Amino acid sequence: MIGPALLLLAAQPLPPALQFSAPPPAAPPAAAPLLFAPPTDRPMVYRVTTRRRARDGSMASYTLVYDLQWSRAGRGVRLAATLRAIESDAAPQVARAVTGMLDPLVGQPVTYLIAPDGSGITLVDPEALWQQVLGRAHDLGASAAQGEAKQMAGLLAALPPAEREKLATADVRALVAAANPAIEHGSPGRSVEQTGTLRTVTKSETAAVKAGAEGKEPIEIDTAWTIDTTTGLVVNERRRTWIATTGSDDRTLVEERIRALAAED
């Protein structure tokens, strides 16, 4: 599922204070793997929504809707993910500029192989996927009016194969709890609550990022995951990034990401 990653690259840039964020600290040791048993008897729907604040202060939403089908592949699991639709409440011309690169992927299944315990994810035939994406980026970038697309085409073409694989599998890793690097065991600001078969993990982080020539501005990141412990899948994730006001409790939401997984109606 490369779509959400491309949305983040293509959408309006974050405020300058967030463009120079320092690398995250090293993750603590991972927790023991969760049970991984995705349902192979029914299709599922995966909605990935990105909301970002534009320069005029408004929030624009982009939602990618995927159809998922899990199946057994030897001892492991095969996942076929098909981008069904792209939804946005942004102005039509803005939405087209952001999502245009994804149009060729609508209706095209992308296949992943996942290890039996959910710890490893491999994209099947990555070269074919990247040729589609790069071809579309090149077509958009050929127009003088599409400077952002031309810049993105250059960035994507320069990525080494390992980084392309990482980008293309990011949202599947987010979906499979055992492979999700963000759900860390024992990390600061992390709490866990179990209700029946659902486990809720929350984490709050703070960082200082560059703002202007000399100063730094604090940001706060709140993330909550809901994990179905019978399948090992993250059925909901909400990650919100705020710019905090120094010396005050005030803060401004600049980005929100919501991932939601459900059985097909």
Side-chain angles (χ1 to χ4, degrees), residues 26-216:
L34 290 166
L35 172 70
F36 179 56
T40 58
D41 59 343
R42 60 187 183 276
M44 306 191 82
V45 178
Y46 188 33
R47 300 176 65 89
V48 183
T49 298
T50 301
R51 299 178 64 234
R52 304 190 80 174
R53 183 172 296 277
R55 289 189 176 92
D56 65 0
S58 63
M59 296 290 284
S61 297
Y62 302 87
T63 299
L64 306 184
V65 184
Y66 291 92
D67 293 318
L68 305 185
Q69 182 63 63
W70 308 88
S71 60
R72 289 292 168 188
R75 294 181 59 247
V77 173
R78 178 184 288 108
L79 170 62
T82 304
L83 179 58
R84 180 202 300 179
I86 307 170
E87 303 168 353
S88 177
D89 61 4
Q93 66 273 19
V94 175
R96 283 194 297 270
V98 173
T99 64
M101 194 174 300
L102 301 175
D103 288 342
L105 301 181
V106 175
Q108 300 296 316
V110 178
T111 304
Y112 304 84
L113 294 178
I114 306 173
D117 62 356
S119 61
I121 298 170
T122 303
L123 174 64
V124 175
D125 198 6
E127 192 58 33
L129 173 64
W130 278 103
Q131 288 305 317
Q132 281 186 291
V133 172
L134 291 174
R136 179 59 171 169
H138 182 270
D139 291 343
L140 290 174
S143 169
Q146 294 289 341
E148 295 87 352
K150 186 176 297 185
Q151 182 181 17
M152 186 186 297
L155 290 172
L156 293 174
L159 285 176
E163 288 300 314
R164 293 183 183 183
E165 179 90 2
K166 184 177 179 181
L167 187 65
T169 60
D171 279 273
V172 181
R173 292 197 308 273
L175 182 62
V176 179
N180 191 327
I183 307 175
E184 302 155 354
H185 177 66
S187 60
R190 178 183 183 272
S191 65
V192 180
E193 180 180 340
Q194 188 81 29
T195 304
T197 62
L198 296 180
R199 179 181 303 169
T200 301
V201 180
T202 59
K203 184 170 65 172
S204 297
E205 305 167 89
T206 59
V209 294
K210 185 175 180 180
E214 299 179 356
K216 289 190 175 182

Side-chain angles (χ1 to χ4, degrees), residues 9 21 23 28 50 54 63 73 78 136 141 173 188-189 216 219 231 244 249 255 265:
L9 289 173
S21 55
T50 301
T63 299
R78 178 184 288 108
R136 179 59 171 169
R173 292 197 308 273
K216 289 190 175 182
I219 63 169
T231 64
D249 293 333
E255 182 178 285
D265 294 333

